[in-house]
Amino acid sequence: MKYRMLFAVAAAGLLISGAAPAQDKKQLAFVVNASSDFWKLAEAGVKKAQGELANYELQFRYPAQGTAAAQNALMDDLVTAGVDSIMISSADPKNSIDAFNRIAGQVPLFTTDSDAPASNRIAYLGSSNTDAGVQAGEEMVKAMAGKEGKCMGFVGFLGADNAVERINGFKQAINGKGIELVDVRGDDVDFTKARTNVDDVLVANPEINCMVGFYSYNSPKIYEALQASGKLGQITVVAFDEDPVTLGAVKEGSFVSTIVQQPFEWGYQGMKLMAQYLEGDKSGVPENKLIIVPTKIINKDNVDAFETDLKAKIASAG
């Protein structure tokens, strides 16, 4: 894919640093939940922040696997190596509370994308996943235009807060509108399984006439499966995020729309927030500890403008 940036170095983590000696700098780390193209925009945001934080060394890190255990081990390694603050998208927040509290007892811990509100994290900076789910549901209601809908959802981590909140928001929006979310299939960020899940539904559930891809890679897998089965355009699809395949599907009319987040801002604002906090300025942390970056609806009318802005952001960080 034309935006693909996940080189081998990314699996181990990208080190972003300026000209000053590393030992003279405080270190900030952004830890993601899996190796997915979705994160390239957050990486670009971190690179932009590095240009404005000359006294800091910024790291963008991918865990060895998309699991809570791998994430927690990576955070332990970062703290041991001297990192001063961490921002993380948790793969499994409910089962990571003890690990998060252990890290938070050593360095300021922030969350993004998928929150862990029961932990001692300082704040969450990211989307309102509930609002994003509502937007997706409203898009589906408009697209179905009064027709009965039997929808199937697809997601990575069924238990992650971002998944649960998106699903609940979607259900809230379709409630009483003649549309049912029959089930949601999880894949644990296994791309092969993500495709197989869609293929299986197409065979076993012929009543399904609408689909939702709740994670960035789910919608491209939906597209592949529909195209292979000859059902592209016959099943109504609402997507999430800005994978190139998803944007192309919106552009050609195969998908209704996609709900996009602003991961570039998570990386950029997140690093600035962490640096500010380390310098003793806690004014950037609101009382409710939630810093919400709004989601947007991208459809056929605005997809070209969105794609142009996307390319500019990636280029600006290069």
Side-chain angles (χ1 to χ4, degrees), residues 137-151 170 174 177-180 207-211 234-238 256:
E138 291 172 345
E139 286 293 288
M140 187 63 76
V141 170
K142 285 193 296 183
M144 296 304 288
K147 294 185 297 184
E148 181 178 338
K150 296 286 186 181
C151 293
F170 185 85
I174 65 173
K177 303 296 174 58
I179 300 171
E180 176 189 1
E207 76 280 7
I208 295 298
N209 60 355
C210 50
M211 293 182 172
Q234 298 176 25
I235 292 179
T236 303
V237 180
V238 173
V256 173

